[in-house]
Structure formats: C-alpha cells, structure tokens
Amino acid sequence: MSKKLLVTGGAGFIGSNFIHHVLEQRPEDSIVNLDLLTYSGNLDNLSDVESDPRYRFVHGSICDRGLVTELVSSTDCVVHFAAESHVDRSIDDASAFIQTNVLGTQVLLDAVKACGGRRMLHVSTDEVYGSLPLDQPEVKFSEHFSLSPNSPYAASKASSDLLVRAFRQTFGLDVVTTRCSNNFGPYQFPEKVIPCFVTRLAQGMNVPLYGDGKNVRDWIHVIDHCEAILLVLEQGRAGEVYNVGGDNERSNLELTHAILDLMDLPKQRIELVADRLGHDRRYAISGTKMKEEFGWEPRRSAWPEALRQTVDWYLNNQSWWQRILARANADRQDARG
Ligand SMILES: NC(=O)c1ccc[n+]([C@@H]2O[C@H](COP(=O)([O-])OP(=O)(O)OC[C@H]3O[C@@H](n4cnc5c(N)ncnc54)[C@H](O)[C@@H]3O)[C@@H](O)[C@H]2O)c1
C-alpha cells in the first residue's frame, strides 16, 4: 500500500540520502520534505528529484506549530531528522540545539498526537549513551544502556528521546526511535570530519586532528542507516528503540591515515590540535537487536572500499562543496558587517 511520508530535515545529509533511498525503493510512496534550510540544509542535495511528482519541498520550521500540524494531518507517517547536529557548535552555544532538537520535537509529537493514528520515527544518535572506555573493546552500547550524554548536542538529543518515550507511555503514540553511530557518505556538510578532511586536503590545506587522535567512532555508510530507518519505520515495534551501527570501529587517527592513503598524501599533512571539550573517547554499537528482529546488518560500510567511494564522491563533486564553502564565506563576511 502506498504511503505519504513527512520527512523533517530532508535537505540535510542523512535526510536527503533517505529521500533518495525511499523514492528508489518504494515507487508507490510520496514524500513531503519540511526543512528550514539552516546553514546545513542544502536543496542541491535533492536537485535530481525536485521535479519528481512524488516529492514536495516545504520551507519551514518544525517549531511552527500550525504548519507542522497541517502537514502531519495530510501524511501517514513522520520521519524526523531535523536537528542541529554539530557537537562543536553546541559547545559554542547550545540555544539553537534546545530550540530545534527539544522544543521542535515536542511540537512534532504534539501534532502526531493531535492528528492520531500516525507512526513517527525519531532519528537519534549513539551519543546519547555517553562514552565507552578504550580498554574494554567487548563493551558496546545496547538499547538498555542508560542515557549519559556529555555534550550539549547529545543532551538535546537525549532530551528529545525521552520526550518521544514519554509520549508513548502517556498517550500511547505509535513512535519508534533509532540511535545510530557516525554516518559517512555523499552530501555531508563539510564541517564534519570526513568531508572536512577531504575538502581541506583537496585545497592543499592540512587537517586538524583533535587531541591524541585515539577517540574511536563506529562508522556506518549513510545508505545502511537509511535502509535500517525504513525497516524500523515499516516493521519496528511501537515504543521500541533500535541501535544501528556499522560494525566498523576506527580511531580518528586510523580514519585520517586512511583518507591520506586514499588521496596519496603524506602523514605530515596532519596537525594535532587541542582536544574538543568533553570529547567522548569511544562509541560502539551492538547491532544484536536489529539482527535478531529483522536479520538486518550493515552491508555497505566495510572499509577501505566504502571509504574510498566516499572520498571519490567529494573529489568528483567539487562544485557541490565549493558552493557551500562560498556561501559560508559570504555569511561570515555579512556577520562581520
Ligand atoms: N550525522 C550523523 O553521523 C548522525 C548519526 C546519528 C544520528 N544523527 C541524527 O540524524 C539527523 C540528521 O543528521 P544530519 O547529519 O543529516 O544533519 P544535518 O545537519 O546535515 O541536517 C539537518 C537538517 O535539519 C534542518 N533543520 C534544522 N533545524 C530545523 C528546523 N527547526 N526545522 C526544519 N528543519 C530544520 C537543516 O536545515 C538540515 O537540512 C539528526 O537528528 C542527527 O541528530 C546523525
């Protein structure tokens, strides 16, 4: 049966990949993309589908109660990506993170409650669990881990997760939550580490590596994440949380060396810089629940091939990121007056 999806934050990195994925995998479905087009939202990510009759873009905020309620009332389900997503920005100023990630999620939940009968999938992150030690590699985040967020970003996402849980417990809403590890792939805003490093290196610059470079992340290809989201949207049990990982733990140093190798550049291009405040040491996801309930495992995340394809994508799509860098430069100049 065909479905109408409301996707929030669909002009961002994961949201735009998800829209592509759904339009390819579910020819009967249609999508409304509600996005505020903040600094990280980019309609270029969706230029190839903008004239597809199954796709419609709405420029607006998830905090706009009237608009959100109107859109939710004419769709069958909601997939909620919209967020402020960059940890470093949340350390500079958490205000927008609380506004969008917490209050915006509340507006969406209120609308789903008011309209009744709609499923909402909330896209969250492994960062809500806090940090794992480096010396216990067997320990991974399961869905039963307590929430111990360490950055303002992670705290805002954990708050939204708890709101989603509370709306299930109190009002019986049909909600599901996914908590995913670090994504990589095409269309990621070039402030995040992989596109940041590739684009800097392509411009002849060095790459700044935080602290000792030993922090570990579990890297997943964005389309593996999108596939898992679609599966949980369609088959997940109401009220459940599903962790989604790439089974691909790498230290930041290992990641940086891999990028340099793929670009045939020397290690001297690395500059160690002061560590991020409160920098979580290690994230690692246990994929047991996704495997046991759905037989799902990541299929596209294995390195070096998946990383090579991603590095190549940024090298082959320089005009995509050069437009973003030019816009960011112009914004900085405007801000300086
Ligand atoms: N990137 C990752 O590795 C990762 C991992 C796990 C979970 N997540 C989660 O996935 C979601 C998407 O992350 P991303 O990396 O694609 O982020 P992104 O920053 O690339 O995209 C965020 C999108 O949300 C939009 N947006 C921001 N505020 C809005 C508002 N008030 N109303 C409507 N739209 C708004 C932006 O314009 C942008 O298009 C986030 O919820 C994030 O917490 C990300």
Side-chain angles (χ1 to χ4, degrees):
M1 207 179 68
S2 68
K3 281 189 308 299
K4 290 186 200 157
L5 282 73
L6 173 63
V7 171
T8 72
F13 164 46
I14 307 175
S16 59
N17 277 287
F18 181 74
I19 290 172
H20 284 118
H21 184 69
V22 171
L23 292 176
E24 273 164 31
Q25 298 296 318
R26 298 289 181 272
E28 304 291 309
D29 290 357
S30 59
I31 296 177
V32 172
N33 170 18
L34 171 64
D35 197 299
L36 186 58
L37 298 182
T38 65
Y39 77 94
S40 71
N42 185 358
L43 288 180
D44 287 353
N45 300 358
L46 293 158
S47 53
D48 55 334
V49 299
E50 67 190 7
S51 56
D52 190 318
R54 298 171 299 154
Y55 169 76
R56 181 163 77 93
F57 173 66
V58 175
H59 186 200
S61 173
I62 56 165
C63 299
D64 180 339
R65 193 168 282 274
L67 174 64
V68 167
T69 310
E70 181 196 320
L71 293 175
V72 170
S73 72
S74 56
T75 45
D76 300 313
C77 53
V78 179
V79 185
H80 177 34
F81 294 94
E84 290 293 332
S85 67
H86 191 46
V87 173
D88 288 345
R89 288 179 186 253
S90 79
I91 293 170
D92 288 345
D93 181 359
S95 314
F97 290 73
I98 306 304
Q99 182 69 33
T100 295
N101 301 3
V102 185
L103 299 177
T105 302
Q106 182 220 338
V107 170
L108 213 49
L109 287 163
D110 281 344
V112 171
K113 173 173 163 262
C115 297
R118 280 143 182 89
R119 163 155 283 202
M120 171 169 153
L121 185 146
H122 174 59
V123 180
S124 191
T125 165
D126 60 356
E127 302 194 27
V128 298
Y129 296 119
S131 185
L132 292 169
L134 285 182
D135 60 0
Q136 293 170 28
E138 72 288 356
V139 181
K140 297 179 181 218
F141 296 132
S142 78
E143 290 78 1
H144 301 296
F145 258 64
S146 60
L147 302 188
S148 303
N150 291 322
S151 70
Y153 161 68
S156 70
K157 292 297 290 187
S159 306
S160 63
D161 288 18
L162 293 177
L163 278 175
V164 170
R165 179 195 144 81
F167 272 67
R168 169 73 190 164
Q169 298 299 120
T170 309
F171 307 112
L173 251 57
D174 182 7
V175 284
V176 276
T177 297
T178 53
R179 294 192 182 129
C180 189
S181 57
N182 283 53
N183 285 221
F184 66 99
Y187 303 116
Q188 188 166 30
F189 192 81
E191 69 185 351
K192 302 282 172 68
V193 62
I194 292 178
C196 170
F197 281 13
V198 176
T199 58
R200 284 180 71 94
L201 291 167
Q203 295 172 96
M205 297 152 86
N206 288 343
V207 290
L209 187 61
Y210 280 138
D212 59 10
K214 290 188 180 155
N215 304 62
V216 168
R217 300 294 181 257
D218 176 0
W219 287 98
I220 182 171
H221 192 274
V222 64
I223 297 298
D224 274 336
H225 185 193
C226 293
E227 186 180 75
I229 289 172
L230 190 55
L231 194 58
V232 173
L233 179 71
E234 294 176 345
Q235 297 179 36
R237 287 179 292 130
E240 291 292 312
V241 171
Y242 295 90
N243 285 354
V244 179
D247 196 17
N248 185 31
E249 283 184 57
R250 310 283 173 173
S251 73
N252 287 344
L253 193 60
E254 198 181 347
L255 163 70
T256 312
H257 284 171
I259 293 173
L260 287 167
D261 285 348
L262 287 169
M263 294 179 71
D264 215 7
L265 291 168
K267 311 283 181 276
Q268 288 76 10
R269 299 291 290 274
I270 300 175
E271 267 173 36
L272 293 179
V273 297
D275 207 356
R276 168 189 275 169
L277 294 175
H279 203 176
D280 286 339
R281 214 49 176 151
R282 173 173 166 254
Y283 304 137
I285 288 269
S286 160
T288 306
K289 186 168 174 177
M290 286 295 291
K291 187 158 183 212
E292 284 183 357
E293 279 198 28
F294 310 120
W296 184 88
E297 286 180 293
R299 291 182 294 142
R300 305 167 182 84
S301 301
W303 286 11
E305 193 43 39
L307 183 63
R308 177 194 310 280
Q309 284 168 11
T310 296
V311 168
D312 284 349
W313 190 87
Y314 289 98
L315 295 178
N316 293 331
N317 288 276
Q318 302 219 2
S319 60
W320 178 85
W321 52 264
Q322 271 160 356
R323 271 197 297 278
I324 293 175
L325 297 184
R327 267 200 302 271
N329 257 336
D331 288 349
R332 264 195 297 274
Q333 309 242 327
D334 283 353
R336 283 195 206 110

